[in-house]
Amino acid sequence: MGTTIANLIQDNEEGLHELQERIGYRFRDLRLLQLSLIHSSFAFERLDDGRHNETQEFLGDAVLDLTVGYILFVRFPEMREGKLTRIRSALVNEQGLADRAREIDLGKYLLLGKGENASNGRDKSSILSCAYEALVGALFLDGGYDQALAFVRRFFEPHIDQHQEQLVSADAKSSLQELLQERFNEGPEYMLTGEEGPAHARLFSITVTFQGEELGSGRASSKKEAEQQAARAALDYLAPRQG
């Protein structure tokens, strides 16, 4: 015989209270909060109606796009749309949301099926990020847009403040590609110019060129990061020429 959402609220009363303290918001309808913590594996095994958090996750995904987008729009009013989109993506991708979930120890409160529980599902980024979206969806349903925005501000703005430079320069390759395509209808080229060090600690040197001119170079332990460094250097080199 299965259980119900109401039964789960009674059984998890202490945990639900603790989580509300952690997020700084008290739910009027605890069913919304409880549902956001139910993984599909638990629902299929234990719940009478089989309801789980994926519908609230869908809503929360949209709420996060809107609220994070608004925060970035206000924070960087002169920034181009393409870069704003990439920064938002870096903040609300699976890893970013899983990190925010870990900040509030969300995994502790999740209800998982036996298999997921045994395989350390409480710390899987995929499960944590989905649950975080479901939590935001629940908060939006319970308190409306203003409460959802306040929550997102509380947990995302410190991260933006601490990592603003990295976020703004994130995915420099895309920014350089966009800039050159827009101005010249042509993209840059990346060349591997050197490899050094032992196999377990290789360092790669990459140079980025455009129409035969060297724009910048990078050196890192992966080709991907070296290319990003080269692209950032190119953007810095090109900045005085823009206008």
Side-chain angles (χ1 to χ4, degrees), residues 117-216:
N117 204 32
S119 62
N120 199 31
R122 294 182 189 283
D123 197 44
K124 286 183 181 176
S125 292
S126 57
I127 290 177
L128 286 172
S129 62
C130 291
Y132 196 86
E133 289 176 330
L135 176 62
V136 172
L139 206 152
F140 174 79
L141 289 169
D142 193 75
Y145 174 77
D146 288 343
Q147 290 294 341
L149 177 61
F151 171 81
V152 172
R153 272 191 162 140
R154 179 179 175 186
F155 290 100
F156 280 81
E157 284 194 330
H159 181 68
I160 295 171
D161 291 338
Q162 292 167 17
H163 304 284
Q164 179 172 317
E165 184 176 337
Q166 296 96 309
L167 287 167
V168 169
S169 63
D171 200 10
K173 282 185 67 178
S174 294
S175 296
L176 181 62
Q177 179 79 19
E178 180 183 274
L179 175 66
L180 295 175
Q181 282 288 158
E182 183 178 289
R183 294 174 63 184
F184 303 102
N185 200 32
E186 187 179 339
E189 294 183 358
Y190 294 86
M191 296 184 298
L192 178 65
T193 54
E195 287 185 54
E196 57 187 282
H200 67 280
R202 299 295 278 173
L203 282 174
F204 301 93
S205 296
I206 298 284
T207 297
V208 59
T209 63
F210 180 72
Q211 295 181 345
E213 179 182 4
E214 182 177 323
L215 301 182

Side-chain angles (χ1 to χ4, degrees), residues 54-173:
E54 289 180 8
T55 304
Q56 286 182 184
E57 172 198 338
F58 166 79
L59 178 61
D61 176 60
V63 174
L64 279 164
D65 271 354
L66 176 59
T67 52
V68 172
Y70 174 72
I71 290 167
L72 294 175
F73 174 81
V74 172
R75 180 71 61 101
F76 307 113
E78 303 301 321
M79 191 173 287
R80 296 157 66 107
E81 180 266 344
K83 181 165 280 190
L84 287 170
T85 299
R86 286 192 292 275
I87 295 174
R88 180 176 62 186
S89 295
L91 288 166
V92 301
N93 63 17
E94 179 179 294
Q95 190 58 53
L97 295 181
D99 288 343
R100 303 290 80 74
R102 291 184 180 101
E103 285 179 7
I104 58 174
D105 201 13
L106 189 60
K108 174 182 177 181
Y109 308 100
L110 297 182
L111 298 178
L112 305 175
K114 291 179 182 178
E116 286 292 357
N117 204 32
S119 62
N120 199 31
R122 294 182 189 283
D123 197 44
K124 286 183 181 176
S125 292
S126 57
I127 290 177
L128 286 172
S129 62
C130 291
Y132 196 86
E133 289 176 330
L135 176 62
V136 172
L139 206 152
F140 174 79
L141 289 169
D142 193 75
Y145 174 77
D146 288 343
Q147 290 294 341
L149 177 61
F151 171 81
V152 172
R153 272 191 162 140
R154 179 179 175 186
F155 290 100
F156 280 81
E157 284 194 330
H159 181 68
I160 295 171
D161 291 338
Q162 292 167 17
H163 304 284
Q164 179 172 317
E165 184 176 337
Q166 296 96 309
L167 287 167
V168 169
S169 63
D171 200 10
K173 282 185 67 178

